[in-house]
Amino acid sequence: DVVMTQSPLSLPVTLGQPASISCRSSQSLVYSDGNTYLNWFHQRPGQSPRRLIYKVSNRDSGVPDRFSGSGSGTDFTLKISRVEAEDVGVYYCMQGTHWFTFGGGTKVEIK
Amino acid sequence: EVQLVESGGDLVKPGGSLRLSCAASGFTFTNAWMSWVRQAPGKGLEWVGRIISKTAGGTTDYAAPVKGRFTISRDDSKNTLYLQMNSLKTEDTAVYYCTRDLDGGYASWGQGTLVTVSS
């Protein structure tokens, strides 16, 4: 199974400041079709997850442009350019190349 | 607007069975690849299984912890996805989410339904 490792586990952030979350996979996520199926999700307390990013860097409809994804191979990053109060919650990376596995989550909270 | 509404969650004893349903609307269900994802209380997300569209073969795949005990099916005439869970274990306790698969991930999620396995 592909293991997805996120860091940090907890991320205290200041409103208006940038934030970055790392996700590393135990093997390359490049699929045979040339795509890299790496997703990012955000889950607010008491709510269902919502996908933010698919195929490494593509924002889902309605996702603010302060969210961006990057990376390749086994190393990926989610960046928030300026954190807003509504961004608190847990962020998960997930790979869809070798079946489906999620990272353990990064909890974002306001300092 | 895409809507996924799960139902059927309940308290069940170990060894028991339960069937979850997911009513879909706002997209062409017949063409959709669908999955179930679960989240144990206070824990992270775990893929349970997937069913692809009938036009693509209609096959199912399952995560190792549930293989042989859980069965995913679909009724395209009712726009409904199902999860039949047998031989339930305490470690199956979780919120179960119905998801629509798109671009190698889960583009849409339901609100979830809670399954509690306890004696």
Side-chain angles (χ1 to χ4, degrees):
Chain A
D1 287 5
V2 175
V3 177
M4 304 296 288
T5 303
Q6 287 182 234
S7 61
L9 294 181
S10 177
L11 182 58
V13 297
T14 301
L15 290 175
Q17 292 300 303
S20 179
I21 299 170
S22 172
C23 177
R24 183 165 292 177
S25 58
S26 59
Q27 57 184 278
S28 173
L29 298 186
V30 180
Y31 191 57
S32 55
D33 64 2
N35 288 307
T36 300
Y37 295 107
L38 187 284
N39 302 261
W40 289 97
F41 298 87
H42 176 216
Q43 185 176 33
R44 296 189 179 103
Q47 294 188 14
S48 303
R50 174 199 183 191
R51 191 171 70 175
L52 302 173
I53 302 285
Y54 63 95
K55 289 194 286 187
V56 181
S57 59
N58 296 275
R59 272 191 304 276
D60 274 278
S61 176
V63 174
D65 61 7
R66 65 178 181 274
F67 290 94
S68 64
S70 63
S72 63
T74 61
D75 289 295
F76 305 92
T77 302
L78 176 70
K79 291 183 179 175
I80 309 173
S81 59
R82 295 173 305 280
V83 172
E84 298 190 5
E86 65 182 19
D87 300 337
V88 299
V90 181
Y91 290 80
Y92 296 95
C93 62
M94 187 215 91
Q95 67 84 18
T97 296
H98 310 284
W99 296 111
F100 310 97
T101 47
F102 290 88
T106 295
K107 186 173 184 179
V108 171
E109 54 189 10
I110 304 300
K111 280 183 188 175
Chain B
E1 180 195 1
V2 172
Q3 279 204 317
L4 300 170
V5 180
E6 301 94 335
S7 60
D10 205 347
L11 170 63
V12 60
K13 288 182 168 49
S17 298
L18 203 59
R19 189 177 84 155
L20 307 183
S21 300
C22 170
S25 61
F27 62 100
T28 305
F29 183 76
T30 302
N31 296 338
W33 294 28
M34 304 291 294
S35 288
W36 288 95
V37 176
R38 67 184 180 183
Q39 186 170 35
K43 302 296 185 184
L45 300 164
E46 180 186 27
W47 173 65
V48 171
R50 178 188 72 179
I51 186 166
I52 67 175
S53 64
K54 284 195 167 65
T55 53
T59 56
T60 53
D61 295 285
Y62 301 94
V66 308
K67 198 168 186 177
R69 300 187 297 122
F70 288 13
T71 302
I72 298 173
S73 61
R74 62 193 299 160
D75 186 338
D76 289 348
S77 68
K78 295 182 179 178
N79 286 359
T80 302
L81 178 73
Y82 301 100
L83 178 64
Q84 176 67 45
M85 302 184 293
N86 299 329
S87 304
L88 282 160
K89 306 175 181 180
T90 55
E91 53 263 40
D92 295 320
T93 293
V95 173
Y96 284 74
Y97 295 102
C98 164
T99 69
R100 177 193 179 198
D101 300 6
L102 206 56
D103 291 314
Y106 308 126
S108 307
W109 297 66
Q111 86 287 352
T113 187
L114 177 62
V115 173
T116 303
V117 185
S118 174
S119 53

